[in-house]
Every structure is written in C-alpha cells, then in structure tokens.
Amino acid sequence: MAARKGSRRRYSRGASRSVASAMRRRKHGTLRSGRRGRGGRVKSRKQAIAIGLSEARKKGARVPRKPSS
C-alpha cells in the first residue's frame, strides 16, 4: 500500500505503540482507569484506546488534539 504524495501519519509510531500497550493491558485485565490506577478495571475497547492516546500525549508523541465540545 503506497502512501499518497505529501501525506503524513496522523498519529506517530510512538502513539501507536502506546495504544497497543494499553490494549494489551486491557486484554490481560491490568488496565485501570483514573489517576494512578485507582479506578475500576477497563473493559471497554474505546476507553483503552483513549487511555493509550492520553499516555502518548504525556510522553510527547504526535497525537491530534482532543476535539473540544
């Protein structure tokens, strides 16, 4: 699959790794929500992706800004 000319990744590779890590932790049942993991266990796929992107942002990876609503 060739990339279009002038196209650019929306999410950096580091962000992808961070999301993959969060998904893996969710699958193993060790991903927890909230600050310092004090919340409940994450079961939702969407929530796991959101946590992964949030962690990537904190590390400084290129991730689009959250939509302001």
Side-chain angles (χ1 to χ4, degrees):
M1 210 158 88
R4 291 189 309 249
K5 187 177 178 188
S7 70
R8 183 176 163 182
R9 287 178 66 102
R10 177 176 276 186
Y11 296 91
S12 66
R13 283 193 177 87
S16 296
R17 284 192 207 106
S18 187
V19 170
S21 169
M23 294 300 279
R24 206 171 300 114
R25 285 182 285 155
R26 171 186 152 266
K27 192 171 181 182
H28 291 301
T30 58
L31 183 64
R32 299 181 70 87
S33 65
R35 288 190 176 261
R36 293 177 295 281
R38 289 177 187 221
R41 192 169 287 148
V42 173
K43 294 178 182 168
S44 162
R45 179 181 169 85
K46 279 186 175 182
Q47 194 176 1
I49 292 169
I51 290 169
L53 290 176
S54 177
E55 289 170 355
R57 274 189 195 93
K58 286 175 188 165
K59 288 179 187 171
R62 189 176 71 233
V63 180
R65 225 174 326 170
K66 286 190 256 186
S68 58
S69 53

